[in-house]
Structures are given as structure tokens and as C-alpha cells.
Amino acid sequence: MEPSLLGVVGAGVIGVSVVQDLAQSGHDVVVVDRDVQTLTAAERTLRRNVRLHHLVAATDAPLDAKEVLGRVRFTTDLADMADRQFIIENVTEDWEIKRAVYVEIDRVCEPACIFAVNTSVIPITKIAAVTARPSNVIGMHFMNPVPLKPVVEVIRGHHTSQETIDAATRLLKQMAKTPIVVNDSPGFVSNRVLMVTINEAAFLVHEGVSTPRDIDTIFRKCFGHAMGPLETADLIGIDTILRSVDMLWAEFKDSKYRPCPLLGTMVNAGLLGRKSGEGFHMYQGSTIIDDSKGK
């Protein structure tokens, strides 16, 4: 049976973006987050993003916001996932937090329900091992902003069944995404490459070799990247970057993943990127407003 009853765990930046894309694709979505304020902010963000989607995506006609939002229900109770057929989890990139979520949803969900892990680094096989359904656990690494990204990295865990892979790829195609299936490894393909690049760019700033502005300009103008590595870090969140690099370092014990000290300093100072208004650059919304840090 094709999944039509979807669940999303975690209503942060990436979670609400996943919800938007699912609801716009016609799916009934239950969104769970333990924090009421996060849910309130997510609902507000979702409403705004749906109304503006046709402008951002350059489509011909606006979406019916009332219809799209009518497919979404917000809750703080994981038990409300009991009837879901397919769950996409997006909680903080922290092993203990994720482990606790999977223990709970494994308890409340039907055995046939598929769990999709939206993680930057944590191996899918490790997460599947805390459930009683390892064949139904798969990685789906969405990029932000989800509605505008045409490709999703799909990760096959050691026990992931072909039926689970097929169900995940069908869902993504319904969302107008191209799935690329890779094998399990900490960081997979995208973040084993991206996190090293961002970490090394942070070292260049830390060592005084160059500035955030100039590093990002080199990548945009010389290599044709849409964003430089430090702009990308600000978009993802400096705290998420630090956790991801820390996890790669812990998993591989390879010095190339040693976190740049500047990342820790920025997290301690609350300079988390776009979501805090300042990271390697300063922001008003998604726009860099003051590049004096890069001079």
C-alpha cells in the first residue's frame, strides 16, 4: 500500500520544510515536537512559506494555503503517530535524543510502518538496531530548503529491505524528488565531503588566512557554487555543523575530521548562523546585511 498517512518528528527548520513539501504533495501529515513553542513557530513558518511558495519557486499560481495547511496536524504526543504508515524523523543531531525517539515510536507504531531517518552523520544501521524493525528503517537526507531541492540522498542500512527502499523512492518521486541511493556510512556521501570542506574553511578563518566573505566569493565565482562553504554553514546552523564534525571524528578517529576550535567558540557565543542572525556572516532573515566581519 502506498503511504498516504505521514508522520514527521521534529518541527525545527528542516522538519517544517519537510512538512511543507509533504503537505503540498497531497499527504496527510501529523507533526510531533515536544516543545509547544517550537510547534507554534513551525505552524507560523509553514503558513508563511506555503503562501510565498509560488514566488520562491517561480511557479505560475499560488497554492491554496487553506487546503495545504488542512492536511497538517501539530501535536506534542508521540502516541499520535500510531496510525502513520511512514515517519520521517528530523530531531536534533544527537544520538541519545534520536535513540529515545526511536525506542518510543517503535513501541507505538504498527509493525509495517517505515521509519526514515533524516540525519547528517549518524549511521542508519546504528539507529535501526534500537528498533524491532531494522528492515523498515532507511535514511532520507533532505537538504534545506526541502521544497526547492530536487534530489534526496537515500541511505540503505545493513538490514534495510528492498521493499523499504522502493517505498521511500516512490514517496520521493511523488514529491517530485530524484532519490539517489547510497550505502550506509557515517556522513554518507554528502556530509563526508561537505563537513570536511566547511571545517577546513573555518580553519582558514581561524588561522587568519582569509575572511568568510572572500572564502565564499572564491567558491561562488571560481567554482560556480550557488553558496560558499561558510554561507552553507550558516544556513545549516553552526551548532549542527559542530555536532556533525564531532560525530565524524568520533566514528572515524581520523584527524581530517578534527573540529576547528572556532566552531566551538561560535556555538558558545550563540553565533549559530541564519537562525540566530549571526554566524560567519550577519543576517536579516536569509539576507546577508553586514559583511564587515568578512573584511
Side-chain angles (χ1 to χ4, degrees):
M1 180 168 51
E2 296 296 330
S4 59
L5 301 177
L6 278 291
V8 172
V9 182
V13 173
I14 193 73
V16 73
S17 201
V18 170
V19 171
Q20 178 186 347
D21 216 353
L22 289 171
Q24 289 177 180
S25 302
H27 295 286
D28 176 292
V29 187
V30 171
V31 189
V32 176
D33 197 289
R34 63 184 179 181
D35 185 75
V36 174
Q37 289 185 336
T38 298
L39 286 175
T40 301
E43 186 169 8
R44 184 169 57 247
T45 299
L46 179 62
R47 189 178 304 277
R48 181 187 69 241
N49 289 352
V50 169
R51 286 174 174 166
L52 296 177
H53 179 73
H54 70 291
L55 299 175
V56 176
T59 57
D60 293 334
L63 297 167
D64 185 329
K66 185 176 181 180
E67 181 180 352
V68 173
L69 293 165
R71 300 184 185 120
V72 182
R73 178 163 60 93
F74 295 89
T75 177
T76 58
D77 190 354
L78 276 172
D80 289 334
M81 292 289 176
D83 67 338
R84 301 292 97 178
Q85 299 167 301
F86 198 111
I87 292 175
I88 301 173
E89 170 272 312
N90 312 272
V91 303
T92 300
E93 194 76 356
D94 180 289
W95 165 241
E96 289 303 324
I97 293 173
K98 283 189 182 287
R99 186 192 64 78
V101 167
Y102 282 94
V103 168
E104 183 63 14
I105 60 175
D106 192 47
R107 183 183 66 81
V108 303
C109 292
E110 292 293 329
C113 181
I114 292 172
F115 296 163
V117 189
N118 190 9
T119 176
S120 298
V121 173
I122 300 173
I124 305 308
T125 304
K126 181 176 182 178
I127 291 174
V130 305
T131 77
R133 65 187 79 204
S135 64
N136 285 19
V137 180
I138 191 167
M140 289 172 67
H141 185 203
F142 290 91
M143 312 297 171
N144 190 34
V146 177
L148 302 183
K149 299 295 182 179
V151 173
V152 175
E153 188 178 31
V154 176
I155 304 97
R156 178 194 294 109
H158 182 78
H159 297 290
T160 306
S161 70
Q162 187 59 47
E163 291 77 12
T164 296
I165 294 170
D166 291 344
T169 56
R170 285 194 300 269
L171 173 62
L172 290 170
K173 288 175 181 178
Q174 290 171 5
M175 299 166 69
K177 309 291 187 195
T178 299
I180 296 180
V181 181
V182 303
N183 291 322
D184 198 13
S185 171
F188 326 119
V189 172
S190 57
N191 278 339
R192 279 187 66 175
V193 176
L194 177 63
M195 293 302 160
V196 173
T197 304
I198 290 174
N199 195 48
E200 196 63 27
F203 267 116
L204 291 171
V205 177
H206 181 62
E207 295 165 4
V209 175
S210 190
T211 64
R213 180 189 62 191
D214 288 346
I215 291 168
D216 286 337
T217 299
I218 287 169
F219 275 79
R220 282 188 277 103
K221 300 298 185 182
C222 296
F223 301 141
H225 292 195
M227 300 176 69
L230 299 178
E231 292 172 281
T232 303
D234 282 348
L235 174 64
I236 294 170
I238 306 303
D239 50 342
T240 299
I241 297 296
L242 179 58
R243 278 195 297 268
S244 297
V245 177
D246 268 336
M247 287 183 202
L248 288 169
W249 166 245
E251 290 283 348
F252 288 109
K253 304 296 191 295
D254 190 324
S255 61
K256 70 183 177 184
Y257 297 114
R258 179 175 65 91
C260 175
L262 178 59
L263 296 173
T265 300
M266 292 175 70
V267 170
N268 290 337
L271 306 179
L272 306 182
R274 285 191 189 183
K275 61 187 175 184
S276 69
E278 183 176 355
F280 286 102
H281 304 278
M282 296 184 69
Y283 296 87
Q284 183 173 3
S286 60
T287 303
I288 296 175
I289 58 169
D290 182 355
D291 212 19
S292 60
K293 293 180 69 178
K295 294 180 181 178

